Amino acid sequence: MCCPGCQAVAQAIVAAGHAAYYRNRTATAERHEALPQELSDLFDRPSLRDAYVRQHDDGTAESDLLIEGITCGACVWLLERHLGALRGVRSVTVNHATHRLQVVWDAGRTRLSNVLAAIQAMGYTPHPTSVRNRHALAARERRTQLRRLGIAGLLGMQIMTLAVALYAGEWYGMEAEFRTFFRWVSLFLATPVVLYGAQPFFAGAWRDLKHGAPGMDVPVALGVGLAYCASVGATFADSGEVYYDSVAMFTFLLLAARFVEAGVRRGALDALDKLVASSPETANRLTGDGRTERVPALELRPDDRVLLRPGDRIPADGVIAEGSGSVDESLLSGESSPVRKGLDDRLIAGSVNVDKPMTMRVHQCGDDTLLAAIIRLAENAQHDKPPGVRLADRVAVVFVSGVLALTALVGAYWFSRGESAWFSIVLAMLVVSCPCALSLAAPSAIAATLGRLMSLRVLVAHSGALEALAGASHFVFDKTGTLTDPLPAILAVRTLQPDTSADACRRIAAALEAHSNHPIAHALRQGFEHVCAAEHAGADTDGLSGIVDGERFWLGSRGFIARHTGQHPVVGADEGTGYCSVVYLSNARHALASFELRDRIRDQAQELVGYLRSRNKHVWLLSGDHRAAAQRVARDLGIDHAEWALTPQNKLARVRQLQSQGAAVAMIGDGINDAPVLAQSDVSIAMGGGASLAALHADMVLLGDRLGVLRSVIESAARTRRVIVQNLSWAVTYNLLALPAAAFGLVPPWLAAIGMSLSSLLVVGNAWRLKRTRP
């Protein structure tokens, strides 16, 4: 077997008693044929369900499908409406730009096989995807498109050559037998173009009409079909006009446009596919007697020990149990330099062991890894659709119906006037309209931008965040871990009682902070990573407490210590200078020590603030730290509005106040400790670093520590909005001009085909610039 996934499929087929499938098949099954029920049911078996279905704690299940046959916004609208009405289905989202469908259902009421069967019954072809098989599916789609395009192009060139002779004969005269012969040869050449090359248009049109939701394929199929049938009639009657050249041109240009669109779709997912490919399929698991066995990575479980040789990709999240070495985490963080790792240091799935053998202990595996969370977040953003995109999908359905009705009226008008060109006018109107340009205007731009941001290691939780960021007027920053380095340096540990040692206080503080992800917690744990965590630990907004060695301790700000113990520790020696944050440790009787930590401003922070101010954005600093530390950072970075000693509730109130004054607020914080204010802001950005993505409450996450990337994100969001406006403006303007021109007979059918194809390509090409631009 080429991979564990194929092995699982084969084992499931054989175990179900369907081994005859392999003996009896003569070729790879046609995917457009309905799946046999027993094969569809295979996706409900545990071996495949684990690979293609994500189970949630609330009893729901979720899966991603690649859908063949989507051609316009009407298809999207139809799939979402029809599947959304199925028993047990909670939500359905289809991305027009990537042809991917995300479905969530109640696992107790329906199954994936029921969803697949419903999609098949509608005339579409679903492919359950773990991202690993996406390349194979895309390659198969590309081969099919190339075959259709090649046949339409090759035969179309011969038809066009004959058409030149026929047109010349109309002007200069031609013997009747030659005209008849050229028409019959053109019929012979055009038939494969219509029956094979244009088959997706006819299949899509029949599907749309059957479900009462006419899409782009309906006018195209009508145009091609009517032109072909009229030409066949004229050929047999040996009189009248023939349109074989227009039929071939229609088909070739439309297939070419879709081929290019498919290439853009694949390109938009390149960065995501690289992440998926970074997760290894197998791992070298150590057995109890010290032997290694090669197993599928999906079979790893927590506490398994895995041997990592130089060059191996890390198959799960965990820690180093034996050895040390350098690890390349560039695919996840964007940092090119390998990171030195030692005993008990964290390892992230998808990273590469660079130079020395190591043994790791697995903590999280499969869908619980950080890499899997990143992939899920990126996929959800691809599926998510802002309200404007949903509106465009609904408009596409109405637009096509309107075009058909208008074409019928215009055709009847010209026919009643005895105009011989009425049929050419009808063909031109059917073909020139371009609802797909309207449907692709926003999705193509959003998909390209999401792909670019993914390459910058920026995760977008939902695509509406791009629009919100582009319109933000106020940028509000947290200080610690955002504008300053995530790990402050400990300047001094000052004991406040004569019989207290600094090391003992450090050990107690490390025990209290054992499970915290706050930057100060990481600083206090340095050198004391192996201490046991405090018991009965509890956290407040500005401190935490817990029991260490049978005694309760409190660690936090001076106010926190005063509230919980009644102690009022003295001011740290440097607290008033602005160079320190001070954290106090106390028991029930005495304040024991103060920890003085100095913040270091991040590289590129000053450049980012300067950029925002140059764009006439208002920059605020809201910090929970003391006045001097906040003022120093604000002064060094040129921030005019700074507030300090704020609890999360104070920050929340300030953001609400700004919003009440008409501000559109973008909040940038650590994503965990500022959850309420991040949720309140119009758009939120978390400096995620290595934090658990499940704990982040933000619309966007910067995976690395490079604050300067935020400038690229802001520029990309603004550029995306401009491109969407350009695309929508072009789509509306084109249709408003092209349809009346065709109705008045000013656009011949061949020009209508060119205009319709170029309209779609222009929208997609304009959006593609977003992926290639380097802010």
Side-chain angles (χ1 to χ4, degrees):
M1 295 297 172
C2 62
C3 69
C6 291
Q7 182 177 350
V9 174
Q11 289 172 343
I13 291 174
V14 174
H18 303 302
Y21 166 76
Y22 291 107
R23 292 196 300 273
N24 296 328
R25 71 172 182 175
T26 57
T28 303
E30 267 298 322
R31 301 298 291 189
H32 286 283
E33 298 295 328
L35 283 173
Q37 184 61 42
E38 59 269 19
L39 292 182
S40 179
D41 288 343
L42 287 177
F43 289 101
D44 297 325
R45 296 177 66 89
S47 57
L48 290 185
R49 186 179 61 220
D50 292 345
Y52 294 103
V53 178
R54 297 187 291 276
Q55 304 286 345
H56 300 307
D57 294 337
D58 60 358
T60 61
E62 178 182 340
S63 185
D64 295 329
L65 309 175
L66 185 65
I67 306 297
E68 283 188 33
I70 293 177
T71 56
C72 66
C75 298
V76 173
W77 177 83
L78 176 62
L79 281 163
E80 291 181 344
R81 188 183 69 164
H82 184 75
L83 294 180
L86 293 180
R87 175 181 175 272
V89 173
R90 295 279 189 91
S91 68
V92 180
T93 307
V94 182
N95 187 305
H96 184 200
T98 60
H99 289 197
R100 294 175 61 216
L101 179 148
Q102 184 183 63
V103 57
V104 179
W105 66 90
D106 187 336
R109 300 180 61 197
T110 191
R111 302 176 299 173
L112 177 59
S113 58
N114 295 336
V115 177
L116 297 176
I119 296 173
Q120 287 274 13
M122 295 171 67
Y124 298 94
T125 306
H127 301 285
T129 92
S130 65
V131 207
R132 298 188 180 284
N133 66 352
R134 186 183 297 147
H135 285 295
L137 296 174
R140 180 167 54 199
E141 178 189 21
R142 185 172 182 271
R143 285 195 298 271
T144 301
Q145 289 178 326
L146 275 176
R147 280 197 297 269
R148 296 187 193 279
L149 183 62
I151 288 175
L154 182 63
L155 299 180
M157 286 189 291
Q158 316 310 315
I159 295 170
M160 296 300 292
T161 302
L162 296 172
V164 170
L166 289 171
Y167 287 136
E170 293 295 328
W171 283 96
Y172 302 109
M174 175 183 285
E175 291 84 352
E177 59 269 23
F178 282 109
R179 185 179 67 250
T180 301
F181 175 72
F182 287 162
R183 288 186 171 190
W184 277 101
V185 174
S186 297
L187 169 59
F188 174 77
L189 294 172
T191 299
V193 174
V194 173
L195 297 183
Y196 180 71
Q199 186 270 340
F201 307 137
F202 293 109
W206 172 247
R207 178 186 61 236
D208 293 344
L209 292 174
K210 186 169 62 174
H211 291 91
M216 170 192 163
D217 282 334
V218 174
V220 169
L222 280 174
V224 172
L226 288 175
Y228 178 73
C229 291
S231 301
V232 171
T235 301
F236 276 92
D238 200 20
S239 66
E241 296 289 333
V242 293
Y243 304 94
Y244 295 120
D245 55 330
S246 296
V247 168
M249 185 180 290
F250 290 168
T251 305
F252 175 75
L253 291 177
L254 292 174
L255 288 174
R258 292 193 180 179
F259 181 77
V260 174
E261 290 169 16
V264 172
R265 281 203 314 272
R266 290 189 294 270
L269 296 171
D270 280 348
L272 179 59
D273 288 344
K274 288 178 182 177
L275 274 181
V276 175
S278 70
S279 180
E281 300 238 2
T282 60
N284 295 311
R285 184 169 60 188
L286 292 171
T287 62
D289 58 3
R291 293 184 297 106
T292 61
E293 56 178 358
R294 198 163 188 82
V295 298
L298 291 175
E299 292 185 7
L300 293 177
R301 293 295 178 265
D303 291 329
D304 280 352
R305 289 160 54 86
V306 176
L307 175 64
L308 300 173
R309 300 185 177 97
D312 283 354
R313 286 201 176 272
I314 297 169
D317 289 353
V319 296
I320 296 178
E322 295 178 17
S324 63
S326 298
V327 176
D328 181 1
E329 298 179 344
S330 60
L331 198 66
L332 296 171
S333 67
E335 299 295 340
S336 57
S337 301
V339 181
R340 293 294 302 175
K341 299 280 186 177
L343 192 64
D344 288 334
D345 280 346
R346 185 185 183 195
L347 297 175
I348 302 174
S351 305
V352 179
N353 178 24
V354 175
D355 51 8
K356 296 179 181 179
M358 295 185 288
T359 300
M360 72 171 292
R361 177 175 288 104
V362 174
H363 283 179
Q364 289 89 28
C365 49
D367 285 342
D368 295 327
T369 63
L370 176 63
L371 177 62
I374 291 172
I375 293 170
R376 280 197 301 273
L377 198 60
E379 289 180 332
N380 289 341
Q382 292 281 358
H383 286 297
D384 181 69
K385 292 194 292 187
V389 176
R390 295 185 183 276
L391 177 62
D393 292 340
R394 292 193 295 270
V395 168
V397 179
V398 179
F399 177 82
V400 172
S401 301
V403 167
L404 294 176
L406 180 63
T407 302
L409 291 175
V410 170
Y413 170 78
W414 287 114
F415 182 77
S416 66
R417 290 176 59 90
E419 291 287 343
S420 60
W422 73 271
F423 190 72
S424 294
I425 292 174
V426 167
L427 290 181
M429 288 189 66
L430 287 173
V431 176
V432 79
S433 63
C434 191
C436 56
L438 186 65
S439 299
L440 282 170
S444 57
I446 291 172
T449 299
L450 292 179
R452 165 167 169 69
L453 294 182
M454 187 73 246
S455 68
L456 295 175
R457 304 305 179 262
V458 178
L459 297 181
V460 181
H462 60 90
S463 52
L466 294 172
E467 173 66 21
L469 183 61
S473 60
H474 288 62
F475 285 78
V476 178
F477 290 88
D478 181 35
K479 180 178 71 69
T480 305
T482 304
L483 291 175
T484 60
D485 279 338
L487 291 183
I490 298 180
L491 289 184
V493 180
R494 302 182 186 275
T495 58
L496 305 179
Q497 299 299 324
D499 57 345
T500 304
S501 72
D503 282 347
C505 292
R506 285 287 306 275
R507 186 180 65 82
I508 295 170
L512 292 171
E513 296 279 19
H515 297 300
S516 174
N517 281 317
H518 194 279
I520 289 178
H522 287 286
L524 292 175
R525 286 201 302 266
Q526 283 189 332
F528 293 84
E529 289 85 356
H530 305 298
V531 300
C532 296
E535 299 174 346
H536 305 292
D540 205 337
T541 56
D542 55 349
L544 44 79
S545 66
I547 297 175
V548 180
D549 296 334
E551 184 177 2
R552 180 165 289 279
F553 294 90
W554 289 264
L555 181 71
S557 67
R558 187 188 304 107
F560 174 80
I561 299 297
R563 286 199 311 274
H564 290 278
T565 69
Q567 307 297 323
H568 296 274
V570 297
V571 178
D574 294 321
E575 187 169 0
T577 68
Y579 288 91
C580 288
S581 298
V582 182
V583 177
Y584 297 91
L585 176 68
S586 176
N587 58 21
R589 300 180 304 279
H590 306 288
L592 301 176
S594 67
F595 302 92
E596 298 171 7
L597 303 102
R598 177 172 180 171
D599 290 323
R600 292 176 296 180
I601 293 176
R602 282 183 184 268
D603 294 337
Q604 303 177 322
Q606 190 166 15
E607 179 184 349
L608 174 63
V609 172
Y611 165 74
L612 291 173
R613 295 183 64 181
S614 71
R615 296 279 300 267
N616 297 318
K617 305 295 184 182
H618 301 278
V619 183
W620 284 64
L621 173 63
L622 300 182
S623 175
D625 214 336
H626 59 82
R627 174 178 178 175
Q631 285 184 333
R632 179 184 69 87
V633 172
R635 182 179 63 253
D636 290 350
L637 294 179
I639 298 175
D640 296 328
H641 307 283
E643 297 183 10
W644 48 86
L646 300 178
T647 65
Q649 288 71 28
N650 298 144
K651 296 180 183 180
L652 180 62
R654 168 53 75 185
V655 168
R656 284 175 173 167
Q657 182 182 11
L658 290 173
Q659 290 172 326
S660 68
Q661 297 168 357
V665 178
M667 177 70 194
I668 301 95
D670 64 14
I672 299 174
N673 299 287
D674 293 316
V677 67
L678 288 170
Q680 175 64 35
S681 59
D682 296 278
V683 60
S684 53
I685 303 172
M687 301 290 292
S692 170
L693 291 182
L696 295 180
H697 304 271
D699 301 315
M700 298 182 180
V701 181
L702 307 185
L703 291 178
D705 290 328
R706 296 173 297 165
L707 190 61
V709 170
L710 186 56
R711 173 174 176 171
S712 295
V713 177
I714 296 169
E715 290 180 341
S716 293
R719 191 175 289 105
T720 300
R721 183 165 67 172
R722 288 198 301 272
V723 167
I724 290 176
V725 171
Q726 292 167 1
N727 284 351
L728 288 173
S729 299
W730 164 254
V732 172
T733 302
Y734 168 81
N735 283 290
L736 287 178
L737 295 177
L739 276 171
F744 282 103
L746 302 177
V747 180
W750 63 268
L751 184 59
I754 293 175
M756 189 270 193
S757 302
L758 290 181
S759 178
S760 297
L761 291 176
L762 181 64
V763 166
V764 173
N766 192 36
W768 190 241
R769 293 188 303 116
L770 293 168
K771 183 174 174 62
R772 296 190 177 277
T773 302
R774 298 275 180 194

